[in-house]
């Protein structure tokens, strides 16, 4: 409750709130403010033929017995002309593609199949 200071009339003030997830609240606020929606970024993993070929080359290296970590192999296979954040981004995409291919290969291995 609150009082009007000039003539001392009683004012009633009510507050209410609802609890919603933060992401939903941000979407609602941006929609009410008229802000454009954000677009999805670049998809995970290799996105062009050259990067897909690099992932295939990495899998061949692993098949031949390369025991380095996936990130080390991805670093070797990145484009040498790139620097900074573009280099790191490409390295992450290649590493993601290699891990994904290895996981798919492990799921489809002969050991996992039933007779």
């Amino acid at each position: 409750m609150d009082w009007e200071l000039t003539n001392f009339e009683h004012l009633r003030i009510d507050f209410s709130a609802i609890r919603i997830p933060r992401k939903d609240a941000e979407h609602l606020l941006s929609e009410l403010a008229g802000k454009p929606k954000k677009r999805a970024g670049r998809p995970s993993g290799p996105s062009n033929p050259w990067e897909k070929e690099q992932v295939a080359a990495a899998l061949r290296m692993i098949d031949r017995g390369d025991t380095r970590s996936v990130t080390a192999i991805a670093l070797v296979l990145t484009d040498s002309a790139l620097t900074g954040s573009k280099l790191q981004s490409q390295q992450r995409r290649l590493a993601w593609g290699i891990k994904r291919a290895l996981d798919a290969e492990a799921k489809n291995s002969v050991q996992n199949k039933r007779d």
Side-chain angles (χ1 to χ4, degrees):
M1 287 192 260
D2 200 4
W3 298 94
E4 176 66 41
L5 296 179
T6 55
N7 58 8
F8 295 105
E9 287 183 22
H10 175 262
L11 298 176
R12 182 180 173 127
I13 300 175
D14 292 327
F15 294 98
S16 62
I18 59 171
R19 185 177 181 139
I20 60 174
R22 181 183 182 103
K23 191 173 186 178
D24 293 341
E26 289 173 356
H27 285 295
L28 286 171
L29 287 173
S30 63
E31 191 174 312
L32 289 170
K35 294 180 182 176
K37 292 183 180 180
K38 292 184 178 180
R39 296 183 189 156
R42 187 175 193 166
S44 299
S47 58
N48 62 41
W50 184 84
E51 289 178 353
K52 291 176 183 178
E53 178 55 39
Q54 295 304 92
V55 169
L59 293 175
R60 288 190 298 270
M61 290 168 65
I62 292 169
D63 284 342
R64 286 189 220 120
D66 195 339
T67 58
R68 291 180 291 175
S69 69
V70 170
T71 53
I73 293 172
L75 182 61
V76 170
L77 295 174
T78 54
D79 187 3
S80 60
L82 296 177
T83 59
S85 64
K86 290 185 179 183
L87 175 71
Q88 292 173 351
S89 179
Q90 187 178 68
Q91 181 188 2
R92 282 192 302 270
R93 285 194 306 273
L94 290 177
W96 186 90
I98 295 167
K99 287 177 187 175
R100 181 92 183 237
L102 289 174
D103 289 344
E105 193 174 291
K107 286 180 184 177
N108 295 327
S109 69
V110 175
Q111 295 172 350
N112 290 336
K113 295 191 177 184
R114 294 182 182 177
D115 292 330

